[in-house]
Amino acid sequence: MHVLIIGAAGMIGRKFAEKIALTGRVGQRNVDVLTLADIVMPDVASDFAGERRAIAADLSLAGTAKALVADQPDVIVHLAAIVSGEAEADLEKGYRINLDGTRALFDAIRHIDGYVPRVVYASSLAVFGAPFPDKIPDDFHLTPLTSYGAQKAMGELMLDDYSRRGLLDGVGIRFPTICIRPGKPNKAASSFFSGILREPLNGTEAVLPVDENVRHWHASPRAAVGFIEQAAVMDTTLLGNRRSLTMPGVSATVGDQIKALHDIAGPDVVRLIRHEPNPDIAAIVAGWPRNFEVKRAHALGFRAEASFYDIIKVYIEDELEVDKS
């Protein structure tokens, strides 16, 4: 099997590629060829036993998508995107990358006769907009309140339509906010959810820009990799024409996060969190969903952590303990 990961230099793409390199499989299917593409040259999965290709390319530029799918990969994981805060700040760039790049990819696929790959499309909870019920059901309408959410919703609709026409075999996965993200903060408005845990656990100060009663939906990077793997191998006939799924997660307030950090790491670590209100971030986050019913995803085998304690322990195991070894 040939797997193409677009956005492979990002955190989730890198971790998925590393898992393929470690196991040589996606699900129970052997991977013979692994192609990694991103705007910068991906420097991951160098220990993959099969054929590995790394490409630096901008999906939104003419001809890039055609070149990426020329060898007809069996599974395409589309993670490339401009994140929420940046897409809101730069309208043109957000639509060029998040919408035009996605359409270029889908059209490059459909122009190859008889080629119907599995396409795993990374969507977002930002496709939903307030007002929300206490728990958002699987059939809740898409009413995004940000440009990023609108771009992802458009991608979902294209995925449904191209799948309905038999041009590709799509699965859209609406990621929870991934927490705790390793590395440095990015330009996503949600970056602080990881920062207020990651930085203190690493002995440095973190800024909290919102109130502690802000509630959101979270899953770990380890769970995110599991979502992609499940989407890559699942029976898509079970999806019908609704190809996008909200992924499982943990509904927690910022206060819940801080309490879990306190219980696991102690009060001295928590004291490294500095409250510094940011009205712009608070306004964006206020329009985000907080809790979900994910019956469809659970029925199809998707799984995530059960508590924020579990999410913090995953970070310690996968990042801090690895760094010390």
Side-chain angles (χ1 to χ4, degrees):
M1 179 170 69
H2 181 181
V3 175
L4 165 63
I5 305 173
I6 305 173
M11 184 270 293
I12 297 175
R14 185 179 69 252
K15 285 185 173 290
F16 184 52
E18 289 170 351
K19 184 172 183 182
I20 293 174
L22 179 66
T23 65
R25 300 190 304 272
V26 173
Q28 299 303 312
R29 299 183 63 186
N30 292 331
V31 178
D32 305 301
V33 181
L34 179 60
T35 300
L36 308 174
D38 210 314
I39 193 73
V40 297
M41 183 65 72
D43 185 24
V44 296
S46 57
D47 53 348
F48 176 61
E51 181 182 350
R52 174 185 172 274
R53 306 167 183 171
I55 301 167
D58 184 340
L59 186 63
S60 68
L61 297 181
T64 298
K66 182 179 179 180
L68 288 176
V69 302
D71 290 338
Q72 302 185 29
D74 302 284
V75 174
I76 300 172
V77 180
H78 178 24
L79 298 167
I82 295 300
V83 294
S84 54
E86 191 173 2
E88 195 66 16
D90 191 332
L91 182 70
E92 182 175 345
K93 186 177 183 180
Y95 273 92
R96 178 172 60 84
I97 301 296
N98 295 341
L99 179 61
D100 297 344
T102 297
R103 183 174 182 183
L105 175 64
F106 292 0
D107 281 345
I109 292 168
R110 76 178 176 90
H111 286 137
I112 301 176
D113 289 341
Y115 176 47
V116 185
R118 173 64 54 86
V119 176
V120 180
Y121 171 65
S123 189
S124 167
L125 302 182
V127 299
F128 300 110
F132 306 118
D134 289 340
K135 276 192 174 184
I136 297 174
D138 286 323
D139 58 356
F140 195 72
H141 50 84
L142 306 188
T143 50
L145 297 177
T146 63
S147 294
Y148 176 74
Q151 292 148 15
K152 287 298 182 180
M154 292 174 192
E156 286 192 14
L157 291 172
M158 284 193 293
L159 190 79
D160 287 346
D161 191 39
Y162 282 47
S163 295
R164 177 185 63 83
R165 288 176 169 270
L167 302 171
L168 52 81
D169 184 18
V171 183
I173 49 179
R174 299 178 189 127
F175 283 107
T177 287
I178 301 304
C179 189
I180 302 169
R181 301 179 69 95
K184 297 180 180 179
N186 62 22
K187 294 183 180 180
S190 60
S191 180
F192 71 88
F193 285 118
S194 286
I196 61 171
L197 304 173
R198 179 185 60 238
E199 270 66 82
L201 284 169
N202 285 279
T204 60
E205 191 175 70
V207 172
L208 174 60
V210 301
D211 292 337
E212 288 192 19
N213 62 0
V214 168
R215 178 177 291 276
H216 198 46
W217 189 247
H218 305 269
S220 74
R222 187 190 295 176
V225 169
F227 299 155
I228 297 170
E229 187 165 21
Q230 180 69 7
V233 299
M234 67 174 290
D235 179 1
T236 54
T237 63
L238 300 173
L239 292 174
N241 290 323
R242 294 167 57 207
R243 290 292 180 131
S244 293
L245 296 156
T246 301
M247 292 293 99
V250 174
S251 179
T253 66
V254 170
D256 293 333
Q257 291 183 265
I258 294 172
K259 183 180 186 304
L261 180 65
H262 176 280
D263 293 349
I264 290 173
D268 290 342
V269 171
V270 170
R271 290 190 190 100
L272 291 170
I273 301 172
R274 185 179 81 249
H275 291 250
E276 189 176 294
N278 184 316
D280 293 333
I281 292 178
I284 292 174
V285 173
W288 287 353
R290 303 171 182 87
N291 200 358
F292 291 87
E293 292 178 354
V294 287
K295 295 178 181 177
R296 290 183 75 213
H298 278 151
L300 292 166
F302 292 90
R303 296 290 181 266
E305 290 75 24
S307 72
F308 228 99
Y309 292 85
D310 294 335
I311 289 176
I312 293 176
K313 289 174 182 176
V314 165
Y315 176 76
I316 293 171
E317 292 171 5
D318 290 359
E319 306 300 334
L320 299 187
E321 291 181 358
V322 168
D323 288 345
K324 293 177 181 178
S325 63

